[in-house]
């Protein structure tokens, strides 16, 4: 049996304490008529005795009815209404939870915001391979990237590393023909060579002809000194952003703008796993075209699991490749064509 719970008592608000009422069905009432005329055929002197007899009979019937109701209200029988205590709250617990994995229809959905690049161990599709070490970044002096003619400039206001990505905040001003912010690039010079890294995501607070206020997000995949040019041409000056150290195994590259980095490896009983990241323009090749090579024998991945695949501006893939067992001296090629360099796994 389910009863309505009592209203919570608030001792500090006695003036607003609700009054308890019972929900009884409404019964229509009418005004009582005046003195009744005795029913014909009954002597006046016998009316009180008849009334007393009727009262006794009615009382006996009521007692019998109560006894029958108590028997029907025994535990496990009937509705058990007679066992309920006035003012008590009866809680009904269902044996099944049909709404356990269903959101409430009135619930407000949480806001979704772009998340930084996660390592595969932080992903819901985490591989068994150990996650790669996180990069470190030491910020430089920042500054302004200026056009060779006055009136066009982009000021770098902040640089924020987040995992294997780097977010740069810009404030650019110029005439109506100011170049778009997505033409910005990073120039990286380090022990693995020189790279040109383009943004894969953009967020603009202000974007109109001649102005841009917002952020650009770049892959952070190679070690070296990072510099920014607002437009990736020699007519804009370079701004020093800082120095990055990215722990990795090796790099397979097509050119300074197309390359893949092996971030970590792990050999398991089922084969070899590579945690990798690749970046390039929108025509970057599919990671499933990668292969391992040993003595001319090519081995393609059994499975490729992408933790991220950003294509808002240019491509940025991040995930895991599963290969069958291979020899230790094999090399990795991002796209199994002769135009990508071979990256050693040791």
């Amino acid at each position: 049996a389910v009863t309505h719970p009592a209203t919570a008592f608030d001792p500090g608000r006695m003036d607003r304490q609700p009054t308890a009422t019972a929900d009884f069905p409404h019964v229509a009432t009418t005004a009582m008529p005046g003195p009744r005329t005795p029913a014909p055929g009954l002597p006046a002197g016998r009316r009180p005795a008849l009334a007393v007899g009727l009262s006794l009979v009615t009382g006996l019937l009521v007692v019998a009815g109560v006894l029958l109701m108590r028997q029907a209200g025994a535990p496990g029988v009937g509705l058990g209404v007679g066992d309920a205590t006035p003012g008590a709250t009866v809680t009904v617990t269902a044996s099944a939870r049909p709404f356990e994995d269903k959101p409430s229809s009135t619930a407000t959905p949480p806001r979704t915001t772009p998340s930084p690049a996660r390592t595969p161990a932080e992903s819901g599709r985490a591989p068994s391979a150990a996650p790669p070490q996180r990069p470190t970044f030491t910020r430089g002096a920042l500054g302004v990237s200026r056009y060779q003619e006055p009136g066009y400039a982009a000021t770098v206001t902040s640089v924020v590393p987040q995992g294997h990505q780097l977010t740069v905040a810009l404030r650019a001003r110029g005439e109506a023909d100011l170049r778009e912010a997505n033409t910005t690039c990073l120039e990286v010079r380090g022990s693995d060579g020189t790279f040109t890294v383009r943004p894969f995501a953009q967020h603009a607070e202000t974007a109109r002809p001649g102005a841009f206020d917002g952020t650009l997000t770049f892959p952070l995949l190679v070690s070296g000194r990072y510099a920014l040019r607002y437009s990736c041409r020699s007519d804009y000056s370079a701004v020093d952003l800082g120095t990055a150290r990215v722990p990795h195994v090796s790099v397979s590259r097509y050119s300074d703008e197309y390359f893949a980095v092996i971030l970590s490896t792990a050999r398991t009983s089922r084969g070899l796993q590579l945690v990798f990241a690749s970046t390039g323009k929108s025509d970057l090749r599919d990671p499933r075209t990668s292969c391992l090579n040993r003595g001319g024998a090519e081995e393609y991945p059994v499975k490729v699991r992408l933790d991220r695949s950003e294509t808002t501006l240019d491509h940025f893939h991040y995930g895991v490749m599963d290969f069958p067992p291979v020899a230790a001296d094999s090399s990795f090629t991002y796209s199994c064509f002769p135009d990508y360099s071979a990256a050693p796994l040791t």
Side-chain angles (χ1 to χ4, degrees):
V2 180
T3 62
H4 295 286
T7 305
F9 175 70
D10 187 356
R13 301 302 300 272
M14 292 293 292
D15 58 325
R16 298 180 60 182
Q17 183 67 15
T19 302
T21 59
D23 296 331
F24 291 114
H26 178 71
V27 179
T29 58
T30 57
M32 295 296 292
R36 288 188 175 183
T37 303
L42 291 177
R46 299 180 59 185
R47 290 172 189 164
L50 180 61
V52 171
L54 290 174
S55 298
L56 292 175
V57 173
T58 302
L60 291 174
L61 292 174
V62 170
V63 171
V66 170
L67 292 176
L68 290 174
M69 290 180 65
R70 286 185 177 274
Q71 292 177 0
V77 181
L79 297 177
V81 175
D83 297 333
T85 303
T89 300
V90 180
T91 303
V92 178
T93 303
S95 59
R97 293 175 289 182
F99 304 108
E100 182 177 17
D101 56 355
K102 295 180 181 180
S104 172
S105 58
T106 59
T108 303
R111 293 183 178 180
T112 56
T113 55
S115 60
R118 301 171 295 175
T119 61
E122 297 170 339
S123 167
R125 300 180 299 276
S128 59
Q133 298 181 36
R134 298 177 69 87
T136 59
F137 190 88
T138 303
R139 197 181 73 172
L142 306 185
V144 181
S145 178
R146 301 183 184 277
Y147 184 55
Q148 61 187 10
E149 297 179 2
Y152 298 85
T155 303
V156 179
T157 58
S158 69
V159 177
V160 180
Q162 294 177 307
H164 288 86
Q165 68 184 39
L166 190 69
T167 300
V168 181
L170 295 173
R171 183 179 183 275
R173 292 293 183 271
E175 300 296 332
D177 59 347
L178 177 72
R179 292 173 189 164
E180 294 183 0
N182 57 19
T183 63
T184 303
C185 70
L186 301 181
E187 296 176 349
V188 187
R189 300 180 184 274
S191 57
D192 291 311
T194 302
F195 299 88
T196 301
V197 183
R198 296 184 179 273
F200 66 84
Q202 169 183 309
H203 175 73
E205 297 289 344
T206 300
R208 64 177 186 271
F212 174 83
D213 293 286
T215 60
L216 297 171
T217 306
F218 301 83
L220 181 59
L221 302 180
V222 289
S223 301
R225 194 76 183 177
Y226 280 64
L228 177 143
R229 293 184 187 272
Y230 177 70
S231 183
C232 205
R233 301 179 187 178
S234 58
D235 50 6
Y236 269 84
S237 62
V239 176
D240 176 39
L241 298 183
T243 304
R245 178 185 174 275
V246 184
H248 65 285
V249 178
S250 55
V251 180
S252 175
R253 58 188 296 171
Y254 169 77
S255 67
D256 63 333
E257 292 186 290
Y258 299 84
F259 58 92
V261 181
I262 302 175
L263 298 172
S264 66
T265 63
R267 295 182 182 274
T268 68
S269 59
R270 292 178 295 180
L272 175 68
Q273 286 188 334
L274 303 180
V275 180
F276 80 100
S278 59
T279 185
K281 295 183 179 180
S282 57
D283 57 348
L284 178 71
R285 292 175 187 162
D286 193 301
R288 291 172 295 182
T289 64
S290 302
C291 71
L292 297 181
N293 189 295
R294 181 176 181 269
E298 298 175 350
E299 193 74 56
Y300 288 86
V302 176
K303 182 183 296 184
V304 176
R305 292 170 287 173
L306 292 179
D307 187 70
R308 298 184 69 94
S309 184
E310 301 286 353
T311 58
T312 305
L313 298 177
D314 286 320
H315 279 41
F316 170 43
H317 297 309
Y318 187 85
V320 176
M321 294 183 184
D322 292 321
F323 290 91
V326 294
D329 57 348
S330 300
S331 61
F332 169 82
T333 303
Y334 176 68
S335 185
C336 226
F337 294 94
D339 49 5
Y340 268 83
S341 64
L345 299 181
T346 57

